[in-house]
Every structure is written in structure tokens, then in C-alpha cells.
Amino acid sequence: DWEIWGPMGGYVAAVALRAVGAHLGPDHPARPVSFSCHYLGVARFEAVDIAVVALREGRGASSYRVSITQGDRPILEALVWASAASEGLEHDETAPPAVPGPGALPSLRDLLPPDADPPFPFWENFDPKPVTFEVDWPPDGPREAIWQEWLRFLPTPTWDDPWVDGGRTLILVDLPSWPAAQRVHAWTNPPWMAPTLDLNVAFHRSTSDHEWLLCDGVAPVSTAGLFGWTGKVWSDAGQLLASGGGQCLYRPMPNA
């Protein structure tokens, strides 16, 4: 159900994040604060082994290492900071992108022909509302390396568990990497794919009160076989909920 060139990276990261929540238990007050991982291999849709190791458990914050393996193959190594809610200085100088809200946009399913199938099963997990849309794709020329889309998870749009809630965020920060980068080059039908090397996410606010989330990604530099991207997740009220990014490594498409 989460297939894009194998299990989607943000989905695998969400599994690692939930393992920390399981390690802490349902009564622990901590919530995820930050997540960083290296993707070491493409998993199969089969069982994996997950190990969580506490690196530091303090009164203010705790650090954990998560290892996912499948047989003798390493799949992912992650570091997670967790912390209970606390008090400190407050400010917010963020400015949300000037885009229509989800209520003003049609669903992608209404924009596509009735017999159109999603390119990967992954997209069946959302009700997507793109900020911009072109029926004819690939386009007739390069487009900006920006990908913005309102997304609502299906069948369950929100979760109260902070570790499942954080998993929604990981998926959406990871998601716009290739969609943003390939917009510059899609018109040439380039023979490349770009597996993600790493993912780094800061959780600013809970998403559990927001069904619709704006996935806001840019990939402004692509060179020397790599491209970097940044992703932000916004609420429909204009609050920045999470931010992060990473690097992707180009690989030739199979049979290209």
C-alpha cells in the first residue's frame, strides 16, 4: 500500500519513529522532537527487525537510536530526540505560502480522467488537492522546482497518539523531494530515479487537530549526481507544523 520504488522512505521512517513510542509505552509523556535517519537499503514488503537503544534518558529530553534490518540487510539507522511538553520563550516569524486553502481547491480525483490510475499505490493513502495542476504531463517545458499539495490521510485523517501523528509528518516532509526536483526536467522524460539518502525533521507542533496538511517542498539545487530538498508542513490556519529535508542520489532507471 505504500509502494514508490519499494516501501516509501517516509513510511519506513514512520515505522522507526513508532518503535520509539512503543519503547516508551503509552503512558510516557514524551513526544517526538526531532528525527534524523540514513536510508541504507530498499526493503521488501516483508517482516523487518527493529531495535531501539536509549542513548541518553534525561529529565528534559531523551535520545534514542533505531535500527531497522531485514535478514542480514541494514535498511535504516535513525536518531530520535523525545521530550515532554515544557515552557520557554515563544515567537513565530514564519509566513505561510500564499496558496488557496483546501476548501477552495478540487480533489485530484476530480481533475483526472475517470479511468486514470495513480502512478504508485502510495497515492491511494491520501485525498490530494494540488495547488497547481496541468492535465497534460509531461509539460512542454521546465517548471519551477516547487511542489505544493494539500493532503488528507485516508482512511483515518488524524491520530491522537503523538508517535503516529509524528509519522504523518515524516511522510509529508519526505514526500516532495522527487516531485519538486523532477518538475524542472519532466518535459525531457529523463531516465533517472533518485533514492533518498537521508531525512531530517524538526517537529514544531502537533498535527493531530488538522485533517488537511499542506506539503510544501522545494529542490532548488541539483548537481553532481545529487539534489537537496527542503519540506515544510503547514496547517490550514497557516501554522508551520514541521520542517526538514535531505539529499537524494541519482540512479539510472531500470532498463534505461
Side-chain angles (χ1 to χ4, degrees), residues 144-147 176-182 184 217-222 227-230:
E144 285 188 287
I146 297 173
W147 192 83
S177 57
W178 177 251
Q182 65 90 31
V184 184
V218 296
V221 178
S222 178
F227 75 83
W229 94 96
T230 58

Side-chain angles (χ1 to χ4, degrees), residues 2-222:
W2 294 90
E3 191 262 330
I4 293 185
W5 302 336
M8 187 262 187
Y11 165 74
V12 179
V15 172
L17 186 72
R18 290 194 66 183
V20 176
H23 174 84
L24 294 174
D27 298 326
H28 199 287
R31 87 285 192 193
V33 174
S34 68
F35 178 97
S36 298
C37 77
H38 285 185
Y39 295 110
L40 304 177
V42 179
R44 302 180 302 276
F45 284 103
E46 299 173 7
V48 295
D49 294 304
I50 309 175
V52 177
V53 176
L55 301 179
R56 179 186 183 277
E57 293 185 312
R59 289 184 298 175
S62 300
S63 173
Y64 301 91
R65 181 176 67 241
V66 187
S67 301
I68 297 182
T69 56
Q70 193 168 57
D72 60 353
R73 296 181 63 245
I75 301 300
L76 176 145
E77 285 285 330
L79 293 172
V80 179
W81 275 108
S83 178
S86 58
E87 295 182 349
L89 301 177
E90 297 278 341
H91 73 268
D92 186 344
E93 297 186 355
T94 60
V99 302
L105 294 169
S107 172
L108 181 60
R109 291 170 174 81
D110 296 325
L111 295 169
L112 293 172
D115 57 347
D117 293 322
F120 294 99
F122 168 85
W123 294 104
E124 296 285 4
N125 294 290
F126 304 96
D127 180 9
K129 293 189 173 185
V131 172
T132 61
F133 180 75
E134 295 182 58
V135 175
D136 296 324
W137 197 265
D140 57 4
R143 300 295 186 260
E144 285 188 287
I146 297 173
W147 192 83
Q148 295 172 319
E149 194 155 293
W150 289 100
L151 295 163
R152 184 166 62 98
F153 280 73
L154 301 174
T156 306
T158 64
W159 299 84
D160 292 330
D161 184 320
W163 298 93
V164 185
D165 180 56
R168 292 202 305 153
T169 302
L170 289 182
I171 289 169
L172 295 193
V173 174
D174 182 274
L175 176 57
S177 57
W178 177 251
Q182 65 90 31
R183 282 177 54 82
V184 184
H185 310 278
W187 67 288
T188 67
N189 288 310
W192 299 98
M193 58 193 298
T196 306
L197 294 177
D198 58 4
L199 175 67
N200 308 284
V201 176
F203 304 95
H204 307 306
R205 297 178 172 96
S206 169
T207 68
S208 62
D209 292 332
H210 308 283
E211 289 195 8
W212 287 100
L213 301 172
L214 177 64
C215 183
D216 177 21
V218 296
V221 178
S222 178

